[in-house]
Amino acid sequence: MFRDGQKYMIKWAMRKELIPLFPENKVIHAIKFAVKVIPVIAVASILMQMAFNNYSGLPQAMTIALFALSIPLQGIWWLGIRRDTLLPPTLISWYRELHKNIMSKGEAIQPIRSRSRYQELAKILNYAFKQLDKSSLEYLFRT
């Protein structure tokens, strides 16, 4: 599940247009921030207990540090689950419209699966943002 979450995090198109539509962008940003910041916080919480000679508080500080270190793993686990979740009916029509638009441009892409998942949506969004021009994508993000 963690490996799937990491693959999904790499494959997801980190675009500002997708922020209001999908929670993946926020989760991925949070994971990347947590990977940078939380180890420092975890070590600091333990060192503070030791610096103030409060060794009775050390087990609690270690527990908090371990919990804090698990936060990025929780996000990656969620992404792994999300990757294999079936698309809801509203997104399936959006996904098919995007797929049809890419096919009409003459691009070679995998055929639509009967039961599409978020991982297929991530692949096609990533492909669309890399290969199609901006005018081809404007119709998708109209609200």
Side-chain angles (χ1 to χ4, degrees), residues 82-140:
R82 176 75 166 197
R83 175 184 185 262
D84 293 327
T85 304
L86 293 173
L87 290 175
T90 53
L91 277 182
I92 288 175
S93 62
W94 193 67
Y95 168 76
R96 289 182 183 185
E97 187 176 339
L98 179 59
H99 190 277
K100 187 174 75 172
N101 189 20
I102 291 172
M103 292 292 285
S104 70
K105 299 287 183 192
E107 302 288 336
I109 195 164
Q110 293 178 350
I112 293 179
R113 290 186 167 183
S114 60
R115 297 177 56 106
S116 299
R117 301 178 189 281
Y118 278 93
Q119 63 184 335
E120 285 91 23
L121 179 64
K123 286 178 187 175
I124 202 165
L125 281 172
N126 201 6
Y127 184 85
F129 281 116
K130 286 181 180 177
Q131 300 297 329
L132 298 179
D133 59 343
K134 192 173 182 177
S135 61
S136 300
L137 296 170
E138 280 181 358
Y139 76 95
L140 287 173

Side-chain angles (χ1 to χ4, degrees), residues 1-2 6 31 34-35 66-79:
M1 197 58 65
F2 290 112
Q6 288 176 324
I31 290 169
V35 165
L66 287 173
F67 173 74
L69 291 170
S70 76
I71 290 174
L73 295 174
Q74 293 173 35
I76 293 171
W77 181 268
W78 182 84
L79 288 173

Side-chain angles (χ1 to χ4, degrees), residues 25-91:
N25 289 51
K26 294 173 188 169
V27 171
I28 292 170
H29 278 295
I31 290 169
K32 289 180 179 179
F33 178 76
V35 165
K36 292 177 187 174
V37 174
I38 288 185
V40 174
I41 293 171
V43 170
S45 68
I46 293 172
L47 291 178
M48 285 182 62
Q49 295 297 320
M50 295 171 79
F52 294 117
N53 289 327
N54 186 8
Y55 291 102
S56 63
L58 196 57
Q60 290 88 356
M62 291 177 74
T63 303
I64 291 169
L66 287 173
F67 173 74
L69 291 170
S70 76
I71 290 174
L73 295 174
Q74 293 173 35
I76 293 171
W77 181 268
W78 182 84
L79 288 173
I81 292 171
R82 176 75 166 197
R83 175 184 185 262
D84 293 327
T85 304
L86 293 173
L87 290 175
T90 53
L91 277 182

